[in-house]
Amino acid sequence: MAMSKALALFSFLQLCWLTACAPPQTASDGSDFPNRNLTIICPWAAGGGTDRVSRFFADQLEQALGKPTIVTNRTGGGGAVGHSAGATAKPDGHTLLMGTFELSTMHGMGISHLTHEDYEPLLQVNADAAAIIVRSDSPWASVGDLIEAIKAAPGQVKMSGTATGGAWDLARAGFQLAAGLDVKDVLWVPTEGSAPSIVELLGGHIDAVCCSLAEAASQIESGQLRGLAVMAEDRVSGFDGVPTVKEAGIDWVAMGWRGLLVAKDTPAPIVTTLRETLQTIAESDAYLTFMKQNRFGHEVKVGEAFSDFLAAQDAQWQKVIAAAGYAK
Amino acid sequence: MALTELLTLEVLIPWLLSMIFGIFVGATPGLTATMAVALIVPISFNLPANAGLAMIIGVSFTAIFAGDIPATYLRIPGTPASASATLDGHALAQQNRGRFALILNLWCSALGGLLGVAALIFIAPQLATFALKFSNFEYFWLAIFGLSLSAVVSAGHTVKALLAAALGILISTIGIDTSVGTPRFTFDSVALTGGIQFIPVMIGLFGLSEVFRNVLRKSDVSPDAARPAEKVSMLEVWSTMWKRKSTIAKGAVTGTVVGALPGAGADIAAWASYGIAQRTSKEPDTFGKGALDGVVAPTSANNAAVGGAWIPALVFGIPGDAVTAIVLGALMMHHITPGPEIFTHHADAVHSIFTIGLITQVLLLLAGYAGIRAFGAIMRCPRHLIMTGVVIFSIVGAYSLQNRFFDVWIMLGAGLLGFFLDRHGVPLPPLILGLILGPLAEKKLRAGLISSQGNLTDMFTQPICAALVSMLVVIFLGPPLWKIWKSSKA
């Protein structure tokens, strides 16, 4: 009697175990997508710009698809850790990556083997042009003055914005090449990013910072700093007083971007669903207001257009990396 | 006027809730104050601006204090800024004085916080201008000053302490180097390119190694159950504070100044304050064995540093730490632009921040008492239950930092390392100092040398550098020279 009870209990437990282990039934065509929580991987720290954009999309995606969506910050390795986590995630559309500019450059720098071809790009959600920013009391009134100063004393003008080989270092290196200068004519002092660079600039320890106008918005709006020129096709809305380098005759555009991607081999119907949902969010008034409040540039490219943009970025930056001597 | 707006239920309730949340987050190793603020900011947007600000400021101050609770009771720092409480605070807990140490700690935290906010109110522009003078070499010397404290926090074991510090620096070099982006010791592993995070290491070194030590002990009686309940007289707490008013003042000043430096933070402030207190103490030998000055100094400093970090944030829009970085983003969304004019253009917002900062210190006493009480009750459980809890929280804490299992392995490895080092008499705090300050020293030295184009004289002749170098010399050569001089006179 005791034996059969034990047996019954055992078979019952085994049944529970098997049920628990059985893979959840998922439709391979993605018709039941999403069937569990969604995750957006942010390769940068909590509280930064990329994190804020990621959290906005997580919130909106949760409302649109009805599944809890969380942001996980996978930082480190100059973005390599987070981007790699996005590429190696299960290709079922439940794990999205908020990719950034570094995806176009890190394979050239020898930090990672990943390229944009390791992903299924969904859509670009933001673009911020690089800008050259100086103190309000700087003697330079235009980008022409800066170039003259660099030519007069090569290697003496000190700039910062990121680590050596980081996004804004490459942007200013490309700018110098386009202006007919050598990359080494400016002394690049490595820092951890735009915020510490702005501290160095305000303290008078360096002469200029290369970063986006958004990152220096509070110091520009309070009159401590001034944008000299922006490396964009057109002037940036909200900073209309800052001319483009093109206006000074230098043919150069450098954009930091953010965009959502999923792992390669994600089923096409899921990719389509995500693209359509995300496009609606990215074109909503709520998103426009959010971007405006944060001074981020609103730029949306969906699917093919985003893929073409990524390919063009790759080509542009590999040239600069090689010319700057950073190629590994 | 601002006061009546703040003391309404719709502000006070979220405020206190966020502070209780801060106690929980701060006391849990692996959950940081930054994480708490990042989680609260989205909630705060749905609340009136004042309530949102109160939640953010409240959580940041409480989390820093709460880190000292497990550090004192269990020798496991809840936040990096409370690692120094594992020294004297924990020594006192072992003498059944843990509750007293924590209540003293709480009052000094609130007082330190109050002085930090006072500095923000009265001398913010001056202090911020001073902070801007710090460039690469200045931070380098500050980091060296911090590293030199390895010798201070481990009197009698100088060689072993330096060994531990060197080990910490070595571990910190793993990953992509932050100056020029070269991968070091990564062996083509993506996980290693991110480097070894110091929080999992800290949890393992202190938390897990403590579990191993306890497993080796025979008795299963809880540390506290066998003893009579500790009675704490408030009069004793206040008189202790009065006797140590100069230590509190020194701690608060050190904390405010270090906190106001955008490249440093509460963790460095706590260690610097501990070191200064030990070097200027009449009884330096008691440090590490339960000296009350060793409890008072770091805790007055780390809460003052939280207030100090607001100084460059408001005056120049420069975040002093990750918490103020998040807050600055939130202020910009509310169309408040930080900068020299914020004190005139947005006087209302600034006054709210001031008032919230001050009241938070009072509320901190309430929330802190609750935290100490709750933790004290846990400490009366049988030891095997406590230690099981420590293992669970260590694993969850290490994992939650980055949501990756790799950090759990790091934590386990660090636990074994900590256990091994402890058994051989190697002090653990220098290893943490090496991990935190090694990268700062390296990064700033390299950037400084790039900026000065290899010129070493700037490293010593810049006014602040010269001052820091002479401080190092005085602190380390002063006491022995003074002894020689005195004995030669006698």
Side-chain angles (χ1 to χ4, degrees):
Chain A
M1 188 59 200
M3 190 65 195
S4 68
K5 246 187 187 169
L7 205 69
L9 185 69
F10 179 73
S11 358
F12 174 71
L13 285 176
Q14 204 168 25
L15 205 67
C16 295
W17 173 242
L18 287 174
T19 328
C21 284
Q25 293 299 307
T26 46
S28 59
D29 61 350
S31 57
D32 62 343
F33 174 83
N35 54 36
R36 59 186 171 93
N37 293 359
L38 283 96
T39 301
I40 297 182
I41 296 174
C42 170
W44 305 99
T50 307
D51 180 64
R52 267 180 279 157
V53 176
S54 303
R55 282 178 203 276
F56 179 90
F57 273 94
D59 188 43
Q60 299 282 317
L61 213 50
E62 184 166 330
Q63 287 173 29
L65 295 176
K67 287 280 175 194
T69 306
I70 51 165
V71 173
T72 63
N73 301 86
R74 300 285 295 267
T75 61
V81 172
H83 281 94
S84 154
T88 54
K90 201 174 165 199
D92 61 2
H94 290 85
T95 309
L96 289 79
L97 166 73
M98 184 59 82
T100 58
F101 172 90
E102 285 71 16
L103 180 58
S104 314
T105 58
M106 55 188 184
H107 58 97
M109 302 284 301
I111 292 172
S112 165
H113 304 294
L114 292 169
T115 71
H116 64 100
E117 285 170 359
D118 294 301
Y119 304 87
E120 196 66 59
L122 299 174
L123 83 169
Q124 180 185 351
V125 297
N126 148 261
D128 285 309
I132 295 173
I133 294 155
V134 294
R135 277 186 305 279
S136 302
D137 61 5
S138 164
W140 307 322
S142 69
V143 72
D145 292 350
L146 172 66
I147 291 171
E148 286 310 310
I150 296 171
K151 277 185 181 159
Q156 294 302 311
V157 171
K158 291 179 190 171
M159 285 179 70
S160 188
T162 49
T164 306
W168 304 133
D169 179 25
L170 293 173
R172 68 89 203 176
F175 160 76
Q176 281 167 245
L177 292 169
L181 297 162
D182 192 85
V183 173
K184 291 200 167 51
D185 286 348
V186 165
L187 189 62
W188 187 262
V189 181
T191 48
E192 276 184 313
S194 54
S197 310
I198 289 169
V199 178
E200 291 281 302
L201 180 62
L202 288 172
H205 308 291
I206 53 175
D207 304 298
V209 160
C210 180
C211 69
S212 74
L213 289 164
E215 287 168 306
S218 78
Q219 287 82 16
I220 292 175
E221 285 169 20
S222 67
Q224 305 171 75
L225 299 181
R226 158 162 73 83
L228 213 54
V230 59
M231 304 173 192
E233 293 285 352
D234 303 295
R235 292 192 179 198
V236 175
S237 110
F239 299 94
D240 304 284
V242 184
T244 66
V245 292
K246 281 201 168 167
E247 291 172 41
I250 299 160
D251 188 20
W252 175 245
V253 170
M255 288 283 182
W257 57 266
R258 297 183 176 106
L260 286 155
L261 309 99
V262 285
K264 192 95 195 150
D265 300 326
T266 303
I270 295 179
V271 171
T272 312
T273 311
L274 278 172
R275 274 188 191 142
E276 283 168 0
T277 318
L278 289 166
Q279 187 173 4
T280 316
I281 297 170
E283 284 165 358
S284 67
D285 286 340
Y287 186 58
L288 279 166
T289 319
F290 168 82
M291 294 301 269
K292 206 172 170 173
Q293 279 176 342
N294 281 286
R295 317 323 190 244
F296 295 144
H298 183 257
E299 176 78 40
V300 179
K301 288 194 188 79
V302 187
E304 280 295 302
F306 186 28
S307 301
D308 294 346
F309 169 78
L310 288 174
Q313 285 285 305
D314 227 68
Q316 170 177 347
W317 293 114
Q318 295 325 307
K319 265 188 241 159
V320 176
I321 289 169
Y326 295 153
K328 296 232 170 70
Chain B
M1 185 201 80
L3 204 61
T4 50
E5 275 172 32
L6 288 172
L7 296 180
T8 57
L9 280 185
E10 56 188 355
V11 178
L12 275 172
I13 289 174
W15 197 349
L16 260 175
L17 284 179
S18 80
M19 292 184 75
I20 290 165
F21 177 62
I23 292 278
F24 172 75
V25 168
T28 310
L31 302 185
T32 59
T34 317
M35 224 181 276
V37 174
L39 286 173
I40 276 185
V41 165
I43 304 172
S44 74
F45 283 136
N46 301 323
L47 295 167
N50 276 338
L53 265 175
M55 286 180 84
I56 292 166
I57 294 174
V59 82
S60 62
F61 275 100
T62 20
I64 295 282
F65 159 72
D68 288 349
I69 303 178
T72 302
Y73 273 137
L74 292 168
R75 210 178 71 134
I76 306 165
T79 64
S82 47
S84 45
T86 59
L87 299 166
D88 294 281
H90 184 64
L92 282 167
Q94 283 177 322
Q95 302 158 18
N96 200 21
R97 303 263 288 153
R99 212 175 130 79
F100 172 73
L102 276 174
I103 291 175
L104 177 66
N105 184 320
L106 175 63
W107 279 86
C108 293
S109 286
L111 197 59
L114 207 64
L115 292 169
V117 176
L120 171 66
I121 296 173
F122 296 112
I123 52 167
Q126 293 83 345
L127 208 53
T129 312
F130 171 72
L132 280 190
K133 295 208 165 71
F134 270 67
S135 184
N136 297 306
F137 286 141
E138 286 82 356
Y139 279 114
F140 167 73
W141 285 115
L142 191 70
I144 293 294
F145 175 68
L147 282 172
S148 73
L149 297 175
S150 306
V152 172
V153 297
S154 50
H157 305 278
T158 314
V159 174
K160 284 177 176 170
L162 292 180
L163 187 79
L167 194 61
I169 297 175
L170 178 69
I171 297 173
S172 78
T173 58
I174 298 173
I176 303 254
D177 105 60
T178 46
S179 307
V180 297
T182 313
R184 300 187 293 200
F185 307 120
T186 55
F187 306 103
D188 274 332
S189 141
V190 176
L192 281 176
T193 55
I196 307 282
Q197 306 280 326
F198 76 87
I199 290 183
V201 175
M202 189 179 81
I203 297 172
L205 272 185
F206 289 99
L208 205 61
S209 75
E210 191 69 14
V211 174
F212 293 147
R213 291 206 315 176
N214 274 282
V215 167
L216 286 189
R217 275 185 217 155
K218 295 259 154 44
S219 101
D220 185 40
V221 188
S222 90
D224 286 359
R227 299 170 179 154
E230 186 192 347
K231 291 261 183 301
V232 178
S233 118
M234 281 320 296
L235 222 60
E236 194 191 348
V237 171
W238 290 325
S239 73
T240 309
M241 285 172 74
W242 179 250
K243 278 186 214 134
R244 283 166 180 76
K245 52 188 181 297
S246 70
T247 308
I248 297 176
K250 270 186 282 185
V253 170
T254 312
T256 310
V257 173
V258 174
L261 298 175
D267 42 3
I268 300 179
W271 283 114
S273 170
Y274 187 89
I276 291 172
Q278 197 265 5
R279 298 313 290 189
T280 55
S281 165
K282 289 194 192 81
E283 304 159 320
D285 296 339
T286 60
F287 275 68
K289 296 172 191 136
L292 293 173
D293 278 309
V295 173
V296 168
T299 196
S300 335
N302 61 16
N303 266 41
V306 178
W310 282 85
I311 292 174
L314 289 185
V315 178
F316 295 115
I318 300 163
D321 59 6
V323 173
T324 40
I326 296 173
V327 176
L328 281 180
L331 284 181
M332 292 287 283
M333 289 190 74
H334 282 130
H335 298 283
I336 297 169
T337 309
E341 263 96 66
I342 190 174
F343 295 92
T344 46
H345 287 184
H346 298 289
D348 282 357
V350 173
H351 288 160
S352 303
I353 292 174
F354 289 169
T355 323
I356 291 168
L358 294 175
I359 300 174
T360 291
Q361 310 310 325
V362 180
L363 296 180
L364 172 62
L365 291 175
L366 285 179
Y369 264 113
I372 296 171
R373 228 162 221 291
F375 222 89
I378 295 172
M379 288 309 290
R380 302 193 77 80
C381 296
R383 181 178 285 143
H384 66 269
L385 284 184
I386 298 180
M387 290 303 144
T388 313
V390 169
V391 173
I392 294 171
F393 271 96
S394 298
I395 293 174
V396 172
Y399 179 78
S400 64
L401 192 68
Q402 292 261 352
N403 292 301
R404 55 175 192 172
F405 214 78
F406 175 74
D407 288 326
V408 177
W409 293 116
I410 295 293
M411 190 275 294
L412 291 173
L416 290 172
L417 180 72
F419 178 67
F420 172 79
L421 292 178
D422 214 44
R423 291 207 62 118
H424 290 85
V426 179
L428 300 176
L431 206 155
I432 293 294
L433 277 176
L435 264 178
I436 297 175
L437 296 173
L440 186 68
E442 186 208 340
K443 200 161 62 191
K444 296 298 181 182
L445 179 63
R446 290 175 74 180
L449 286 175
I450 289 173
S451 184
S452 74
Q453 299 177 341
N455 181 349
L456 284 169
T457 49
D458 285 359
M459 225 166 127
F460 300 95
T461 54
Q462 294 289 320
I464 296 174
C465 291
L468 283 168
V469 173
S470 11
M471 202 161 103
L472 265 171
V473 172
V474 169
I475 283 185
F476 282 92
L477 295 182
L481 286 178
W482 175 251
K483 249 187 209 158
I484 294 169
W485 185 71
K486 262 184 114 175
S487 61
S488 71
K489 246 178 94 176

